[in-house]
Amino acid sequence: MKSTLHETRNSLPEKVRRKSIDLLNQHLADVLDLGLQAKQAHWNVKEPNFIALHELFDKVAEELEEFTDDIAERAVELGGVAQGTVQVVSKHSRLAVYPLNLSSGKGHIAALAGALAQFGASARTAIDSAAKFGDADTADLFTGVSRGVDKLLWMVEAHSQSKD
Ligand SMILES: [Fe+2]
């Protein structure tokens, strides 16, 4: 995902900025896909608990939107181009394709929890990558994203973990 580098007075070395921009753009594609997956669940879920799940999935999409903006804007802050078109997302997202035939709450919960877990794991790995190549701020951004996605995963998974 090579991107043009704009001039900036940002003090991070160009080599570091390039690595961060690539890492950010990869996660931008993933999180845009994830946000649409949450909307897909929000629109299509059908079951007795409809309203709770309908609203939960919308909350997930809304919270992901904030992370999406932070990730995209940091790529631009570092002199990069945020690559957030549907064509790029479709080509580069690493998430599993969201099934179009789901309707039960159980099905949507399992699909969305899987996608959140996959994205969360990658955001957590990105913390260490960014710290290792010398961009503590991008590592901090991914720390916030990863913590937030852990919370969203809990909220979705809690609907399928009742033991009594
Ligand atoms: Fe809605």
Side-chain angles (χ1 to χ4, degrees), residues 88-148:
V88 170
V89 172
S90 155
K91 193 165 168 210
H92 291 288
S93 171
R94 296 166 300 175
L95 299 187
V97 174
Y98 200 85
L100 293 175
N101 59 352
L102 297 177
S103 62
S104 72
K106 209 172 150 205
H108 282 292
I109 284 167
L112 194 57
L116 281 164
Q118 198 186 339
F119 179 73
S122 180
R124 207 181 325 280
T125 303
I127 301 170
D128 292 337
S129 312
K132 226 176 262 169
F133 62 66
D135 183 349
D137 304 290
T138 294
D140 178 63
L141 186 155
F142 279 117
T143 305
V145 169
S146 143
R147 186 173 57 242

Side-chain angles (χ1 to χ4, degrees), residues 39 42-43 54 58:
K39 276 294 192 184
H42 165 70
W43 293 320
H54 177 67
D58 210 23

Side-chain angles (χ1 to χ4, degrees), residues 1-8 14 17-18 21-22 25 75-76 78-83:
M1 300 176 83
K2 285 289 149 235
S3 98
T4 323
L5 210 63
H6 292 281
E7 291 276 332
T8 169
E14 182 179 322
R17 286 188 287 118
R18 278 193 189 279
I21 292 161
D22 286 349
N25 269 324
V76 181
L78 297 176
V81 173
Q83 300 182 4

Side-chain angles (χ1 to χ4, degrees), residues 70-86:
D70 290 344
I71 292 169
E73 286 173 6
R74 177 133 188 97
V76 181
E77 288 159 29
L78 297 176
V81 173
Q83 300 182 4
T85 63
V86 282

Side-chain angles (χ1 to χ4, degrees), residues 22-35:
D22 286 349
L23 190 66
L24 289 158
N25 269 324
Q26 177 57 63
H27 286 84
L28 179 60
D30 297 339
V31 78
L32 280 164
D33 187 3
L34 184 56

